[in-house]
Amino acid sequence: AQSVTQPDIHITVSEGASLELRCNYSYGATPYLFWYVQSPGQGLQLLLKYFSGDTLVQGIKGFEAEFKRSQSSFNLRKPSVHWSDAAEYFCAVGRLTSYGKLTFGQGTILTVHP
Amino acid sequence: DAGVTQSPTHLIKTRGQQVTLRCSPKSGHDTVSWYQQALGQGPQFIFQYYEEEERQRGNFPDRFSGHQFPNYSSELNVNALLLGDSALYLCASSVTGSDYGYTFGSGTRLTVV
């Protein structure tokens, strides 16, 4: 069975500081990995996705993520956080990009201090 | 280009009632998936529809059913509502066979009282 673990429920950073959100997955085959962001009361917006190839993936809003097969991880990073990045972030794993279910982690709430 | 549209945005129902939620996929998308997001949790997969057929189903009881229409829009029906069905219901659309991934709507907030 596939599963996703986001170990940090809540992270607080200062504006301008760097950010890393952790994601570990369990999957029996080559995973398709995603990071989504959700603002309060809103749907999910795709930040980036990984299928294959280069293990460092660039996304929108200055985010990037690195796929590490040996560690079963897909951590999200941003070098300098902006106040508008405050939201909840979800890591997800699937079998394909557009077929079948996505399994989501529990989410990490990001608070940004001025 | 309109994205995924869900209606209504908010809904309050009484225990035991039935509810229908609606989703219009993004233009050009042919596949619709439904997710339930309880407060403080990640979304949980309910089912996926393609070519008007349920293609895959998550671990939800038969009280949850769906439909996809020829124009690719979809409905989620929940019968005999329980308090635990209170959640944000998200619809996601995609193009089967593509690498574009899923586009999510803003969801319908269902409150069961």
Side-chain angles (χ1 to χ4, degrees), chain A residues 23-56:
Chain A
C23 172
N24 293 98
Y25 67 90
S26 174
Y27 199 71
T30 300
Y32 287 72
L33 294 159
F34 306 81
W35 273 100
Y36 285 89
V37 61
Q38 185 177 39
S39 297
Q42 300 298 310
L44 301 171
Q45 180 183 22
L46 179 67
L47 288 176
L48 48 80
K49 54 186 185 285
Y50 172 77
F51 309 149
S52 62
D54 192 348
T55 57
L56 186 62

PDB file of all heavy atoms in Angstrom, chain A residues 23-56:
ATOM      1  N   CYS A  23       9.099  15.175   3.357  1.00  0.00           N
ATOM      2  CA  CYS A  23       8.106  14.232   2.854  1.00  0.00           C
ATOM      3  C   CYS A  23       8.799  12.887   2.643  1.00  0.00           C
ATOM      4  O   CYS A  23       9.793  12.804   1.929  1.00  0.00           O
ATOM      5  CB  CYS A  23       7.499  14.723   1.546  1.00  0.00           C
ATOM      6  SG  CYS A  23       6.432  13.508   0.722  1.00  0.00           S
ATOM      7  N   ASN A  24       8.252  11.855   3.239  1.00  0.00           N
ATOM      8  CA  ASN A  24       8.718  10.500   3.007  1.00  0.00           C
ATOM      9  C   ASN A  24       7.565   9.660   2.480  1.00  0.00           C
ATOM     10  O   ASN A  24       6.431   9.821   2.925  1.00  0.00           O
ATOM     11  CB  ASN A  24       9.265   9.880   4.302  1.00  0.00           C
ATOM     12  CG  ASN A  24      10.526  10.565   4.751  1.00  0.00           C
ATOM     13  OD1 ASN A  24      10.502  11.443   5.610  1.00  0.00           O
ATOM     14  ND2 ASN A  24      11.639  10.192   4.156  1.00  0.00           N
ATOM     15  N   TYR A  25       7.843   8.798   1.541  1.00  0.00           N
ATOM     16  CA  TYR A  25       6.779   8.021   0.932  1.00  0.00           C
ATOM     17  C   TYR A  25       7.113   6.536   0.976  1.00  0.00           C
ATOM     18  O   TYR A  25       8.273   6.135   1.110  1.00  0.00           O
ATOM     19  CB  TYR A  25       6.562   8.461  -0.520  1.00  0.00           C
ATOM     20  CG  TYR A  25       7.730   8.135  -1.413  1.00  0.00           C
ATOM     21  CD1 TYR A  25       7.807   6.923  -2.082  1.00  0.00           C
ATOM     22  CD2 TYR A  25       8.787   9.034  -1.549  1.00  0.00           C
ATOM     23  CE1 TYR A  25       8.892   6.612  -2.862  1.00  0.00           C
ATOM     24  CE2 TYR A  25       9.878   8.733  -2.327  1.00  0.00           C
ATOM     25  CZ  TYR A  25       9.938   7.509  -2.980  1.00  0.00           C
ATOM     26  OH  TYR A  25      11.018   7.204  -3.746  1.00  0.00           O
ATOM     27  N   SER A  26       6.063   5.749   0.857  1.00  0.00           N
ATOM     28  CA  SER A  26       6.194   4.308   0.721  1.00  0.00           C
ATOM     29  C   SER A  26       5.396   3.905  -0.504  1.00  0.00           C
ATOM     30  O   SER A  26       4.197   4.205  -0.584  1.00  0.00           O
ATOM     31  CB  SER A  26       5.663   3.592   1.964  1.00  0.00           C
ATOM     32  OG  SER A  26       5.660   2.182   1.772  1.00  0.00           O
ATOM     33  N   TYR A  27       6.085   3.275  -1.471  1.00  0.00           N
ATOM     34  CA  TYR A  27       5.407   2.941  -2.722  1.00  0.00           C
ATOM     35  C   TYR A  27       6.106   1.767  -3.354  1.00  0.00           C
ATOM     36  O   TYR A  27       7.329   1.687  -3.341  1.00  0.00           O
ATOM     37  CB  TYR A  27       5.431   4.156  -3.651  1.00  0.00           C
ATOM     38  CG  TYR A  27       4.395   4.089  -4.736  1.00  0.00           C
ATOM     39  CD1 TYR A  27       3.053   4.248  -4.441  1.00  0.00           C
ATOM     40  CD2 TYR A  27       4.760   3.848  -6.055  1.00  0.00           C
ATOM     41  CE1 TYR A  27       2.094   4.179  -5.430  1.00  0.00           C
ATOM     42  CE2 TYR A  27       3.812   3.769  -7.043  1.00  0.00           C
ATOM     43  CZ  TYR A  27       2.470   3.937  -6.728  1.00  0.00           C
ATOM     44  OH  TYR A  27       1.530   3.855  -7.705  1.00  0.00           O
ATOM     45  N   GLY A  28       5.348   0.846  -3.929  1.00  0.00           N
ATOM     46  CA  GLY A  28       5.918  -0.388  -4.455  1.00  0.00           C
ATOM     47  C   GLY A  28       6.545  -0.286  -5.813  1.00  0.00           C
ATOM     48  O   GLY A  28       7.229  -1.192  -6.253  1.00  0.00           O
ATOM     49  N   ALA A  29       6.325   0.804  -6.500  1.00  0.00           N
ATOM     50  CA  ALA A  29       6.858   0.947  -7.855  1.00  0.00           C
ATOM     51  C   ALA A  29       7.453   2.342  -7.982  1.00  0.00           C
ATOM     52  O   ALA A  29       7.582   3.065  -7.003  1.00  0.00           O
ATOM     53  CB  ALA A  29       5.748   0.725  -8.866  1.00  0.00           C
ATOM     54  N   THR A  30       7.813   2.710  -9.175  1.00  0.00           N
ATOM     55  CA  THR A  30       8.325   4.060  -9.382  1.00  0.00           C
ATOM     56  C   THR A  30       7.217   5.061  -9.108  1.00  0.00           C
ATOM     57  O   THR A  30       6.157   5.000  -9.730  1.00  0.00           O
ATOM     58  CB  THR A  30       8.807   4.226 -10.832  1.00  0.00           C
ATOM     59  OG1 THR A  30       9.851   3.284 -11.068  1.00  0.00           O
ATOM     60  CG2 THR A  30       9.342   5.631 -11.042  1.00  0.00           C
ATOM     61  N   PRO A  31       7.437   5.945  -8.161  1.00  0.00           N
ATOM     62  CA  PRO A  31       6.357   6.853  -7.777  1.00  0.00           C
ATOM     63  C   PRO A  31       6.302   8.104  -8.647  1.00  0.00           C
ATOM     64  O   PRO A  31       7.299   8.524  -9.213  1.00  0.00           O
ATOM     65  CB  PRO A  31       6.740   7.225  -6.350  1.00  0.00           C
ATOM     66  CG  PRO A  31       8.238   7.247  -6.384  1.00  0.00           C
ATOM     67  CD  PRO A  31       8.641   6.147  -7.342  1.00  0.00           C
ATOM     68  N   TYR A  32       5.120   8.639  -8.737  1.00  0.00           N
ATOM     69  CA  TYR A  32       4.927   9.977  -9.258  1.00  0.00           C
ATOM     70  C   TYR A  32       4.645  10.844  -8.042  1.00  0.00           C
ATOM     71  O   TYR A  32       3.735  10.550  -7.264  1.00  0.00           O
ATOM     72  CB  TYR A  32       3.776  10.009 -10.254  1.00  0.00           C
ATOM     73  CG  TYR A  32       4.125   9.361 -11.565  1.00  0.00           C
ATOM     74  CD1 TYR A  32       4.254   7.980 -11.663  1.00  0.00           C
ATOM     75  CD2 TYR A  32       4.340  10.123 -12.698  1.00  0.00           C
ATOM     76  CE1 TYR A  32       4.579   7.380 -12.861  1.00  0.00           C
ATOM     77  CE2 TYR A  32       4.670   9.526 -13.908  1.00  0.00           C
ATOM     78  CZ  TYR A  32       4.791   8.153 -13.986  1.00  0.00           C
ATOM     79  OH  TYR A  32       5.125   7.561 -15.165  1.00  0.00           O
ATOM     80  N   LEU A  33       5.416  11.898  -7.854  1.00  0.00           N
ATOM     81  CA  LEU A  33       5.384  12.682  -6.625  1.00  0.00           C
ATOM     82  C   LEU A  33       4.962  14.118  -6.902  1.00  0.00           C
ATOM     83  O   LEU A  33       5.335  14.694  -7.934  1.00  0.00           O
ATOM     84  CB  LEU A  33       6.755  12.656  -5.955  1.00  0.00           C
ATOM     85  CG  LEU A  33       7.180  11.274  -5.453  1.00  0.00           C
ATOM     86  CD1 LEU A  33       8.682  11.195  -5.294  1.00  0.00           C
ATOM     87  CD2 LEU A  33       6.477  10.952  -4.142  1.00  0.00           C
ATOM     88  N   PHE A  34       4.212  14.658  -5.969  1.00  0.00           N
ATOM     89  CA  PHE A  34       3.640  15.984  -6.137  1.00  0.00           C
ATOM     90  C   PHE A  34       3.749  16.763  -4.821  1.00  0.00           C
ATOM     91  O   PHE A  34       3.702  16.186  -3.739  1.00  0.00           O
ATOM     92  CB  PHE A  34       2.146  15.898  -6.501  1.00  0.00           C
ATOM     93  CG  PHE A  34       1.839  15.041  -7.695  1.00  0.00           C
ATOM     94  CD1 PHE A  34       1.767  13.671  -7.575  1.00  0.00           C
ATOM     95  CD2 PHE A  34       1.611  15.619  -8.927  1.00  0.00           C
ATOM     96  CE1 PHE A  34       1.466  12.870  -8.671  1.00  0.00           C
ATOM     97  CE2 PHE A  34       1.305  14.832 -10.031  1.00  0.00           C
ATOM     98  CZ  PHE A  34       1.240  13.462  -9.896  1.00  0.00           C
ATOM     99  N   TRP A  35       3.840  18.080  -4.956  1.00  0.00           N
ATOM    100  CA  TRP A  35       3.643  18.995  -3.831  1.00  0.00           C
ATOM    101  C   TRP A  35       2.524  19.969  -4.208  1.00  0.00           C
ATOM    102  O   TRP A  35       2.545  20.576  -5.289  1.00  0.00           O
ATOM    103  CB  TRP A  35       4.899  19.793  -3.509  1.00  0.00           C
ATOM    104  CG  TRP A  35       5.833  19.096  -2.575  1.00  0.00           C
ATOM    105  CD1 TRP A  35       6.971  18.404  -2.888  1.00  0.00           C
ATOM    106  CD2 TRP A  35       5.734  19.033  -1.140  1.00  0.00           C
ATOM    107  NE1 TRP A  35       7.574  17.919  -1.755  1.00  0.00           N
ATOM    108  CE2 TRP A  35       6.830  18.286  -0.665  1.00  0.00           C
ATOM    109  CE3 TRP A  35       4.819  19.534  -0.205  1.00  0.00           C
ATOM    110  CZ2 TRP A  35       7.044  18.030   0.684  1.00  0.00           C
ATOM    111  CZ3 TRP A  35       5.023  19.285   1.131  1.00  0.00           C
ATOM    112  CH2 TRP A  35       6.134  18.539   1.578  1.00  0.00           C
ATOM    113  N   TYR A  36       1.549  20.090  -3.279  1.00  0.00           N
ATOM    114  CA  TYR A  36       0.444  21.017  -3.452  1.00  0.00           C
ATOM    115  C   TYR A  36       0.443  22.003  -2.291  1.00  0.00           C
ATOM    116  O   TYR A  36       0.877  21.689  -1.181  1.00  0.00           O
ATOM    117  CB  TYR A  36      -0.896  20.284  -3.458  1.00  0.00           C
ATOM    118  CG  TYR A  36      -1.207  19.529  -4.728  1.00  0.00           C
ATOM    119  CD1 TYR A  36      -0.806  18.212  -4.892  1.00  0.00           C
ATOM    120  CD2 TYR A  36      -1.917  20.136  -5.759  1.00  0.00           C
ATOM    121  CE1 TYR A  36      -1.096  17.514  -6.052  1.00  0.00           C
ATOM    122  CE2 TYR A  36      -2.218  19.451  -6.922  1.00  0.00           C
ATOM    123  CZ  TYR A  36      -1.802  18.145  -7.063  1.00  0.00           C
ATOM    124  OH  TYR A  36      -2.098  17.463  -8.221  1.00  0.00           O
ATOM    125  N   VAL A  37      -0.118  23.194  -2.544  1.00  0.00           N
ATOM    126  CA  VAL A  37      -0.297  24.186  -1.495  1.00  0.00           C
ATOM    127  C   VAL A  37      -1.780  24.526  -1.397  1.00  0.00           C
ATOM    128  O   VAL A  37      -2.487  24.568  -2.409  1.00  0.00           O
ATOM    129  CB  VAL A  37       0.551  25.446  -1.754  1.00  0.00           C
ATOM    130  CG1 VAL A  37       0.157  26.127  -3.060  1.00  0.00           C
ATOM    131  CG2 VAL A  37       0.430  26.431  -0.594  1.00  0.00           C
ATOM    132  N   GLN A  38      -2.237  24.738  -0.165  1.00  0.00           N
ATOM    133  CA  GLN A  38      -3.640  25.055   0.066  1.00  0.00           C
ATOM    134  C   GLN A  38      -3.750  26.240   1.025  1.00  0.00           C
ATOM    135  O   GLN A  38      -3.292  26.165   2.164  1.00  0.00           O
ATOM    136  CB  GLN A  38      -4.363  23.843   0.651  1.00  0.00           C
ATOM    137  CG  GLN A  38      -5.852  24.025   0.822  1.00  0.00           C
ATOM    138  CD  GLN A  38      -6.544  22.775   1.347  1.00  0.00           C
ATOM    139  OE1 GLN A  38      -6.015  22.078   2.201  1.00  0.00           O
ATOM    140  NE2 GLN A  38      -7.723  22.465   0.817  1.00  0.00           N
ATOM    141  N   SER A  39      -4.364  27.304   0.553  1.00  0.00           N
ATOM    142  CA  SER A  39      -4.651  28.441   1.420  1.00  0.00           C
ATOM    143  C   SER A  39      -5.966  28.176   2.141  1.00  0.00           C
ATOM    144  O   SER A  39      -6.772  27.383   1.667  1.00  0.00           O
ATOM    145  CB  SER A  39      -4.736  29.725   0.594  1.00  0.00           C
ATOM    146  OG  SER A  39      -3.477  29.979  -0.007  1.00  0.00           O
ATOM    147  N   PRO A  40      -6.203  28.819   3.266  1.00  0.00           N
ATOM    148  CA  PRO A  40      -7.410  28.519   4.066  1.00  0.00           C
ATOM    149  C   PRO A  40      -8.694  28.584   3.250  1.00  0.00           C
ATOM    150  O   PRO A  40      -8.951  29.567   2.555  1.00  0.00           O
ATOM    151  CB  PRO A  40      -7.371  29.613   5.140  1.00  0.00           C
ATOM    152  CG  PRO A  40      -5.933  29.939   5.293  1.00  0.00           C
ATOM    153  CD  PRO A  40      -5.340  29.816   3.917  1.00  0.00           C
ATOM    154  N   GLY A  41      -9.486  27.529   3.337  1.00  0.00           N
ATOM    155  CA  GLY A  41     -10.770  27.479   2.658  1.00  0.00           C
ATOM    156  C   GLY A  41     -10.689  27.315   1.156  1.00  0.00           C
ATOM    157  O   GLY A  41     -11.713  27.416   0.468  1.00  0.00           O
ATOM    158  N   GLN A  42      -9.516  27.042   0.642  1.00  0.00           N
ATOM    159  CA  GLN A  42      -9.325  26.945  -0.804  1.00  0.00           C
ATOM    160  C   GLN A  42      -8.991  25.523  -1.237  1.00  0.00           C
ATOM    161  O   GLN A  42      -8.754  24.641  -0.409  1.00  0.00           O
ATOM    162  CB  GLN A  42      -8.208  27.892  -1.251  1.00  0.00           C
ATOM    163  CG  GLN A  42      -8.467  29.345  -0.950  1.00  0.00           C
ATOM    164  CD  GLN A  42      -9.692  29.859  -1.670  1.00  0.00           C
ATOM    165  OE1 GLN A  42      -9.865  29.677  -2.878  1.00  0.00           O
ATOM    166  NE2 GLN A  42     -10.587  30.496  -0.940  1.00  0.00           N
ATOM    167  N   GLY A  43      -8.981  25.331  -2.559  1.00  0.00           N
ATOM    168  CA  GLY A  43      -8.563  24.046  -3.097  1.00  0.00           C
ATOM    169  C   GLY A  43      -7.050  23.933  -3.116  1.00  0.00           C
ATOM    170  O   GLY A  43      -6.338  24.721  -2.498  1.00  0.00           O
ATOM    171  N   LEU A  44      -6.561  22.952  -3.832  1.00  0.00           N
ATOM    172  CA  LEU A  44      -5.133  22.666  -3.891  1.00  0.00           C
ATOM    173  C   LEU A  44      -4.530  23.220  -5.170  1.00  0.00           C
ATOM    174  O   LEU A  44      -5.071  23.028  -6.256  1.00  0.00           O
ATOM    175  CB  LEU A  44      -4.905  21.154  -3.849  1.00  0.00           C
ATOM    176  CG  LEU A  44      -5.448  20.432  -2.630  1.00  0.00           C
ATOM    177  CD1 LEU A  44      -5.361  18.931  -2.819  1.00  0.00           C
ATOM    178  CD2 LEU A  44      -4.685  20.847  -1.394  1.00  0.00           C
ATOM    179  N   GLN A  45      -3.374  23.866  -5.016  1.00  0.00           N
ATOM    180  CA  GLN A  45      -2.646  24.362  -6.175  1.00  0.00           C
ATOM    181  C   GLN A  45      -1.349  23.572  -6.320  1.00  0.00           C
ATOM    182  O   GLN A  45      -0.598  23.427  -5.355  1.00  0.00           O
ATOM    183  CB  GLN A  45      -2.333  25.853  -6.027  1.00  0.00           C
ATOM    184  CG  GLN A  45      -1.579  26.430  -7.219  1.00  0.00           C
ATOM    185  CD  GLN A  45      -1.212  27.889  -7.040  1.00  0.00           C
ATOM    186  OE1 GLN A  45      -1.139  28.406  -5.928  1.00  0.00           O
ATOM    187  NE2 GLN A  45      -0.975  28.571  -8.142  1.00  0.00           N
ATOM    188  N   LEU A  46      -1.079  23.092  -7.522  1.00  0.00           N
ATOM    189  CA  LEU A  46       0.120  22.307  -7.764  1.00  0.00           C
ATOM    190  C   LEU A  46       1.351  23.201  -7.774  1.00  0.00           C
ATOM    191  O   LEU A  46       1.417  24.183  -8.506  1.00  0.00           O
ATOM    192  CB  LEU A  46      -0.003  21.577  -9.102  1.00  0.00           C
ATOM    193  CG  LEU A  46       1.200  20.717  -9.504  1.00  0.00           C
ATOM    194  CD1 LEU A  46       1.349  19.532  -8.552  1.00  0.00           C
ATOM    195  CD2 LEU A  46       1.048  20.232 -10.939  1.00  0.00           C
ATOM    196  N   LEU A  47       2.340  22.861  -6.926  1.00  0.00           N
ATOM    197  CA  LEU A  47       3.605  23.580  -6.905  1.00  0.00           C
ATOM    198  C   LEU A  47       4.603  22.955  -7.877  1.00  0.00           C
ATOM    199  O   LEU A  47       5.294  23.669  -8.605  1.00  0.00           O
ATOM    200  CB  LEU A  47       4.208  23.547  -5.501  1.00  0.00           C
ATOM    201  CG  LEU A  47       3.533  24.405  -4.425  1.00  0.00           C
ATOM    202  CD1 LEU A  47       4.200  24.165  -3.089  1.00  0.00           C
ATOM    203  CD2 LEU A  47       3.576  25.885  -4.795  1.00  0.00           C
ATOM    204  N   LEU A  48       4.707  21.649  -7.837  1.00  0.00           N
ATOM    205  CA  LEU A  48       5.633  20.943  -8.716  1.00  0.00           C
ATOM    206  C   LEU A  48       5.324  19.455  -8.696  1.00  0.00           C
ATOM    207  O   LEU A  48       4.594  18.972  -7.844  1.00  0.00           O
ATOM    208  CB  LEU A  48       7.087  21.198  -8.300  1.00  0.00           C
ATOM    209  CG  LEU A  48       7.451  21.054  -6.820  1.00  0.00           C
ATOM    210  CD1 LEU A  48       7.644  19.611  -6.416  1.00  0.00           C
ATOM    211  CD2 LEU A  48       8.724  21.853  -6.508  1.00  0.00           C
ATOM    212  N   LYS A  49       5.897  18.750  -9.683  1.00  0.00           N
ATOM    213  CA  LYS A  49       5.697  17.309  -9.775  1.00  0.00           C
ATOM    214  C   LYS A  49       6.964  16.654 -10.303  1.00  0.00           C
ATOM    215  O   LYS A  49       7.753  17.285 -11.029  1.00  0.00           O
ATOM    216  CB  LYS A  49       4.510  16.968 -10.676  1.00  0.00           C
ATOM    217  CG  LYS A  49       4.568  17.569 -12.071  1.00  0.00           C
ATOM    218  CD  LYS A  49       3.259  17.283 -12.804  1.00  0.00           C
ATOM    219  CE  LYS A  49       3.300  17.755 -14.247  1.00  0.00           C
ATOM    220  NZ  LYS A  49       3.174  19.200 -14.393  1.00  0.00           N
ATOM    221  N   TYR A  50       7.152  15.401  -9.930  1.00  0.00           N
ATOM    222  CA  TYR A  50       8.295  14.630 -10.387  1.00  0.00           C
ATOM    223  C   TYR A  50       7.812  13.326 -10.998  1.00  0.00           C
ATOM    224  O   TYR A  50       7.029  12.589 -10.389  1.00  0.00           O
ATOM    225  CB  TYR A  50       9.239  14.322  -9.217  1.00  0.00           C
ATOM    226  CG  TYR A  50      10.340  13.358  -9.608  1.00  0.00           C
ATOM    227  CD1 TYR A  50      11.423  13.794 -10.355  1.00  0.00           C
ATOM    228  CD2 TYR A  50      10.255  12.013  -9.281  1.00  0.00           C
ATOM    229  CE1 TYR A  50      12.409  12.904 -10.751  1.00  0.00           C
ATOM    230  CE2 TYR A  50      11.229  11.119  -9.670  1.00  0.00           C
ATOM    231  CZ  TYR A  50      12.310  11.567 -10.403  1.00  0.00           C
ATOM    232  OH  TYR A  50      13.276  10.686 -10.805  1.00  0.00           O
ATOM    233  N   PHE A  51       8.315  13.042 -12.219  1.00  0.00           N
ATOM    234  CA  PHE A  51       7.998  11.780 -12.865  1.00  0.00           C
ATOM    235  C   PHE A  51       9.255  10.937 -13.000  1.00  0.00           C
ATOM    236  O   PHE A  51       9.302   9.777 -12.635  1.00  0.00           O
ATOM    237  CB  PHE A  51       7.420  11.986 -14.263  1.00  0.00           C
ATOM    238  CG  PHE A  51       6.278  12.945 -14.321  1.00  0.00           C
ATOM    239  CD1 PHE A  51       6.066  13.720 -15.445  1.00  0.00           C
ATOM    240  CD2 PHE A  51       5.400  13.077 -13.264  1.00  0.00           C
ATOM    241  CE1 PHE A  51       5.002  14.599 -15.507  1.00  0.00           C
ATOM    242  CE2 PHE A  51       4.338  13.956 -13.322  1.00  0.00           C
ATOM    243  CZ  PHE A  51       4.147  14.721 -14.455  1.00  0.00           C
ATOM    244  N   SER A  52      10.270  11.540 -13.599  1.00  0.00           N
ATOM    245  CA  SER A  52      11.510  10.808 -13.860  1.00  0.00           C
ATOM    246  C   SER A  52      12.555  11.839 -14.245  1.00  0.00           C
ATOM    247  O   SER A  52      12.275  13.030 -14.343  1.00  0.00           O
ATOM    248  CB  SER A  52      11.323   9.791 -14.995  1.00  0.00           C
ATOM    249  OG  SER A  52      10.981  10.466 -16.185  1.00  0.00           O
ATOM    250  N   GLY A  53      13.785  11.367 -14.490  1.00  0.00           N
ATOM    251  CA  GLY A  53      14.836  12.252 -14.951  1.00  0.00           C
ATOM    252  C   GLY A  53      15.518  12.988 -13.817  1.00  0.00           C
ATOM    253  O   GLY A  53      15.734  12.424 -12.736  1.00  0.00           O
ATOM    254  N   ASP A  54      15.848  14.236 -14.048  1.00  0.00           N
ATOM    255  CA  ASP A  54      16.561  15.052 -13.079  1.00  0.00           C
ATOM    256  C   ASP A  54      15.849  15.020 -11.730  1.00  0.00           C
ATOM    257  O   ASP A  54      14.648  15.313 -11.644  1.00  0.00           O
ATOM    258  CB  ASP A  54      16.670  16.491 -13.578  1.00  0.00           C
ATOM    259  CG  ASP A  54      17.645  17.327 -12.761  1.00  0.00           C
ATOM    260  OD1 ASP A  54      18.070  16.865 -11.684  1.00  0.00           O
ATOM    261  OD2 ASP A  54      17.963  18.447 -13.194  1.00  0.00           O
ATOM    262  N   THR A  55      16.572  14.686 -10.692  1.00  0.00           N
ATOM    263  CA  THR A  55      15.935  14.512  -9.379  1.00  0.00           C
ATOM    264  C   THR A  55      15.660  15.822  -8.680  1.00  0.00           C
ATOM    265  O   THR A  55      14.991  15.838  -7.648  1.00  0.00           O
ATOM    266  CB  THR A  55      16.814  13.628  -8.485  1.00  0.00           C
ATOM    267  OG1 THR A  55      18.111  14.217  -8.382  1.00  0.00           O
ATOM    268  CG2 THR A  55      16.941  12.229  -9.062  1.00  0.00           C
ATOM    269  N   LEU A  56      16.164  16.931  -9.198  1.00  0.00           N
ATOM    270  CA  LEU A  56      15.870  18.250  -8.636  1.00  0.00           C
ATOM    271  C   LEU A  56      14.835  18.910  -9.555  1.00  0.00           C
ATOM    272  O   LEU A  56      15.108  19.167 -10.726  1.00  0.00           O
ATOM    273  CB  LEU A  56      17.138  19.095  -8.542  1.00  0.00           C
ATOM    274  CG  LEU A  56      16.990  20.440  -7.838  1.00  0.00           C
ATOM    275  CD1 LEU A  56      16.559  20.246  -6.386  1.00  0.00           C
ATOM    276  CD2 LEU A  56      18.300  21.217  -7.906  1.00  0.00           C
TER     277      LEU A  56
END
